[in-house]
Amino acid sequence: MATPKIADLIDEYNEIKGTLSFKPDYKKLCDKNVELVVFCDKQVGKSYFSLVRNHEFEIIFTHKVGEKIHQSKLDFNTFHPVFDTCLHLYWGPDNCEVRWDYTSGCCDAFAL
């Protein structure tokens, strides 16, 4: 069974408020030869979602609703993930957050 893309899990049902948990592709994420890793870049209705790892090894989650832009960052330079480490994305009309979760078995992709 193919793993759904992150962007496929964000749709009109969770455009304004939602949560998503997934285990990233660590090979791509940790590759210092790759300047930019794009996990998600999607417009849904009046909202825009972006999740990238930039050249400074920051993971940046952006949720734009109308003219409001919310961003959350993680410094990937000082973090060394373990096997079952997942990224969690949370967003709402007035915020967004990206964080690591260390719970074993956390990495079943879901969206609310």
Side-chain angles (χ1 to χ4, degrees), residues 71-94:
Q71 257 187 0
S72 180
K73 295 181 184 181
L74 291 174
D75 184 356
F76 195 60
N77 290 295
T78 58
F79 181 76
H80 303 288
V82 293
F83 177 69
D84 275 339
T85 304
C86 295
L87 276 173
H88 282 290
L89 307 178
Y90 301 93
W91 64 91
D94 296 316

Side-chain angles (χ1 to χ4, degrees), residues 61-73:
F61 177 45
T62 303
H63 178 220
K64 180 179 177 188
V65 182
E67 296 301 315
K68 293 182 183 179
I69 299 175
H70 307 286
Q71 257 187 0
S72 180
K73 295 181 184 181

Side-chain angles (χ1 to χ4, degrees), residues 7 10-11 15 40-50 64 66:
I10 301 172
D11 56 25
E15 171 191 353
C40 178
D41 184 29
K42 183 174 185 176
Q43 182 81 34
V44 178
K46 294 182 180 180
S47 296
Y48 168 75
F49 297 86
S50 172
K64 180 179 177 188

Side-chain angles (χ1 to χ4, degrees), residues 15-16 19 21 25 30 63 96 98:
E15 171 191 353
I16 303 302
T19 183
S21 177
D25 177 351
C30 297
H63 178 220
C96 75
V98 58

